[in-house]
């Protein structure tokens, strides 16, 4: 007899596993024990069990909890005023010269206390949770000095303890050159690699290491130094790659066996092929594409033909993607990038888990996986991509507990 803490029954399951579209089971049930899925399948096959509690879901759809695998959720201030300026005709360069852009986010983040950063991030997190997110990746990168980078990462860890979601952290020290190092970028690169990263790792604040590889940001050589340090510390890497130009980011990510290469609008077929051979996930960020009014689409057909796993994320940040809705990201991935609804949902579950190195724990409804799942008031899974802004969520479970 199977012992379980909770039975979910009278539901339709998009398991995202198995040969059927969405891994669908149309009259299903799930047994949950000790925070994990103990059994999942057709209700008619439900094994003999002893269950403490039963939730009948009245035919609603259940999916794995959504995974936002690329966010900059923790930052100070906002840049809505700059957004307004751009719509009135100011260029990004003009705003940056006047002290705006990432410099303004760095200044506000440095000035904010940990409690203030936590409170503002939690407000944004509510938008993600309301759209089905149970796991979120959070990057540093708006501190760009030792104290503030560590402060951001400590806040991210606190969100994981108190926010009702699982959190994975990424150290993004090579995000931009801070104002005080504008005349000596080499000194900042040394600081980011040789001082801040080891300090963050020593405090247990880092799950992965990220960088922004672009001509306007950091070079392949600089990123390679960072990744060598990450490798020496036993940390996986990921990369903001080829967003604005073909800077060789996809190939660089592949060379280091990165978890993911993110953005990749300008990646070439050679880079995509290298990603495929190395098992690197392509993280698509349609919110940034929308807000920047980009026109160069990611190479979706190449990703499909080379069977590169495609994840979808919000890129929630104050400058280029003020998006705090995972279902909106799914919709935009379909409308802008022509993903199918099933591809987009797979991108927010199975492939997002792979992009965080968590495929063995989350991303599908299978025995042994964490009981992170979402119940939706929908008639078809495609509705998660179809409705933009509609309240579709009915209930969230994290580790088998309502959250």
């Amino acid at each position: 007899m199977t012992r379980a803490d909770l039975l979910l029954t009278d539901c339709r399951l998009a398991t995202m596993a198995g040969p059927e579209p969405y891994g669908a089971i149309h009259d299903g049930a799930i047994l949950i024990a000790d925070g994990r899925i103990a059994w999942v399948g057709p209700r008619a096959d439900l094994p003999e069990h002893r269950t403490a509690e039963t939730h009948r879901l009245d035919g609603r759809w259940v999916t794995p909890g959504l995974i936002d695998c690329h966010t900059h959720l923790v930052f100070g201030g906002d840049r809505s005023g700059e957004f307004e300026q751009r719509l009135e005709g100011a260029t990004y360069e003009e705003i940056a010269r006047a002290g705006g852009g990432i410099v303004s986010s760095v200044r506000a983040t440095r000035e904010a206390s940990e409690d203030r950063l936590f409170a503002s991030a939690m407000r944004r997190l509510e938008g993600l949770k309301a759209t089905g997110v149970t796991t979120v990746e959070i990057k540093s990168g708006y501190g760009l000095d030792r104290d503030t980078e560590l402060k951001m990462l400590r806040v991210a860890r606190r969100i994981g303890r108190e926010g009702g979601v699982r959190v994975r952290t990424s150290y993004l020290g090579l995000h931009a050159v801070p104002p005080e190092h504008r005349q000596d970028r080499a000194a900042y690169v040394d600081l980011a690699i040789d001082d801040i990263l080891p300090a963050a790792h020593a405090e247990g604040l880092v799950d992965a290491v990220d960088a922004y590889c672009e001509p306007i940001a950091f070079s392949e050589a600089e990123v390679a130094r960072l990744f060598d340090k990450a490798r020496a510390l036993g940390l996986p890497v990921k990369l903001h790659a080829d967003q604005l130009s073909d800077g060789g980011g996809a190939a660089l990510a592949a060379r280091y066996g990165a978890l993911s290469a993110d953005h990749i609008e300008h990646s070439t077929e050679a880079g995509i092929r290298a990603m495929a051979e190395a098992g690197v996930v392509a993280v698509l960020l349609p919110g940034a594409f929308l807000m920047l009014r980009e026109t160069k689409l990611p190479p979706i057909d190449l990703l499909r033909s080379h069977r590169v796993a495609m994840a979808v994320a919000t890129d929630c940040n104050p400058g280029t993607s003020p998006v705090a809705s995972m279902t909106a990201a799914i919709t935009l991935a379909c409308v802008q990038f022509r993903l199918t609804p099933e591809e987009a949902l797979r991108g927010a579950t199975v492939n997002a888990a792979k992009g965080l190195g968590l495929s063995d724990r989350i991303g599908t409804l299978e025995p042994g996986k964490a009981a992170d799942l979402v119940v939706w008031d929908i008639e078809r899974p495609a509705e998660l991509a179809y409705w933009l802004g509609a309240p579709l969520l009915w209930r969230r479970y994290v580790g088998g507990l309502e959250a």
Side-chain angles (χ1 to χ4, degrees):
M1 178 178 288
T2 302
R3 183 196 62 79
D5 304 310
L6 177 64
L7 167 64
L8 303 181
T9 188
D10 187 16
C11 53
R12 290 174 281 183
L13 308 177
T15 68
M16 307 312 292
E20 296 298 319
Y22 298 98
I25 298 172
H26 287 276
D27 184 7
I30 304 174
L31 288 171
I32 296 170
D34 300 322
R36 296 189 173 277
I37 297 171
W39 181 90
V40 59
R43 182 162 51 156
D45 298 338
L46 188 65
E48 188 176 355
H49 60 279
R50 182 183 298 118
T51 307
E53 187 175 357
T54 298
H55 292 176
R56 297 187 180 278
L57 302 182
D58 300 324
R60 291 180 174 87
W61 278 93
V62 181
T63 71
L66 303 189
I67 302 163
D68 196 348
C69 65
H70 182 128
T71 85
H72 305 253
L73 196 68
V74 175
F75 56 84
D78 73 55
R79 283 149 64 183
S80 57
E82 295 176 16
F83 172 68
E84 191 170 27
Q85 286 178 282
R86 290 199 305 273
L87 292 176
E88 292 172 348
T91 67
Y92 186 88
E93 184 179 356
E94 289 169 342
I95 292 169
R97 280 204 305 266
I102 192 172
V103 172
S104 65
S105 291
V106 170
R107 183 168 55 248
T109 304
R110 289 178 176 180
E111 291 171 354
S113 67
E114 288 192 23
D115 284 344
R116 185 175 173 187
L117 289 175
F118 176 78
S120 66
M122 287 294 291
R123 289 195 296 272
R124 292 182 282 274
L125 181 64
E126 287 305 311
L128 299 180
K129 290 165 61 176
T131 53
V133 169
T134 56
T135 296
V136 60
E137 182 259 15
I138 302 175
K139 305 179 190 297
S140 67
Y142 287 118
L144 307 183
D145 62 23
R146 177 176 173 144
D147 289 347
T148 315
E149 288 290 298
L150 297 183
K151 177 172 67 174
M152 292 181 70
L153 292 167
R154 282 193 292 266
V155 169
R157 285 284 190 242
R158 181 179 172 189
I159 291 169
R161 293 191 303 271
E162 303 178 27
V165 291
R166 299 183 192 275
V167 168
R168 300 293 281 183
T169 61
S170 296
Y171 168 66
L172 181 58
L174 295 191
H175 189 199
V177 177
E180 66 271 20
H181 284 92
R182 191 168 294 144
Q183 303 305 315
D184 191 0
R185 79 181 275 124
Y188 176 70
V189 172
D190 290 345
L191 176 72
I193 295 172
D194 299 326
D195 182 357
I196 304 175
L197 173 55
H201 179 256
E203 283 196 34
L205 298 175
V206 185
D207 296 317
V209 174
D210 198 351
Y212 186 23
C213 186
E214 283 285 352
I216 65 167
F218 294 91
S219 69
E220 287 187 63
E222 290 166 331
V223 173
R225 276 190 58 204
L226 174 68
F227 284 2
D228 286 339
K229 174 65 80 171
R231 181 178 285 173
L233 294 172
L235 294 169
V237 300
K238 52 179 55 185
L239 187 64
H240 288 61
D242 304 335
Q243 178 186 10
L244 305 176
S245 63
D246 175 22
L252 177 63
R255 190 161 78 243
Y256 279 88
L259 292 172
S260 68
D262 303 24
H263 289 291
I264 67 163
E265 282 91 334
H266 291 264
S267 295
T268 64
E269 183 165 12
I272 299 302
R273 187 183 302 113
M275 286 174 60
E277 292 171 354
V280 178
V281 174
V283 178
L284 306 176
L285 302 170
F289 187 91
L290 173 73
M291 297 303 293
L292 291 172
R293 293 188 284 189
E294 294 287 352
T295 57
K296 174 68 172 174
L297 291 165
I300 301 299
D301 289 340
L302 288 175
L303 294 169
R304 285 178 178 140
S305 64
H306 289 284
R307 299 186 178 181
V308 174
M310 293 183 287
V312 175
T314 65
D315 194 14
C316 178
N317 74 66
T320 61
S321 188
V323 176
S325 166
M326 196 62 206
T327 50
I330 288 172
T331 300
L332 292 173
C334 293
V335 173
Q336 296 183 134
F337 299 163
R338 298 294 193 267
L339 267 62
T340 68
E342 184 176 4
E343 283 177 322
L345 184 56
R346 182 169 293 274
T349 54
V350 179
N351 294 338
K354 183 180 179 183
L356 294 179
L358 298 176
S359 293
D360 61 331
R361 302 181 222 178
I362 56 175
T364 60
L365 302 181
E366 294 182 281
K369 296 285 184 77
D372 295 359
L373 43 91
V374 183
V375 185
W376 305 95
D377 256 332
I378 56 177
E379 287 299 319
R380 301 176 65 242
E383 290 185 53
L384 297 177
Y386 173 69
W387 291 107
L388 183 58
L392 306 177
L393 180 76
W394 191 70
R395 187 177 289 167
R396 293 168 64 250
Y397 296 86
V398 179
L401 301 175
E402 289 188 56

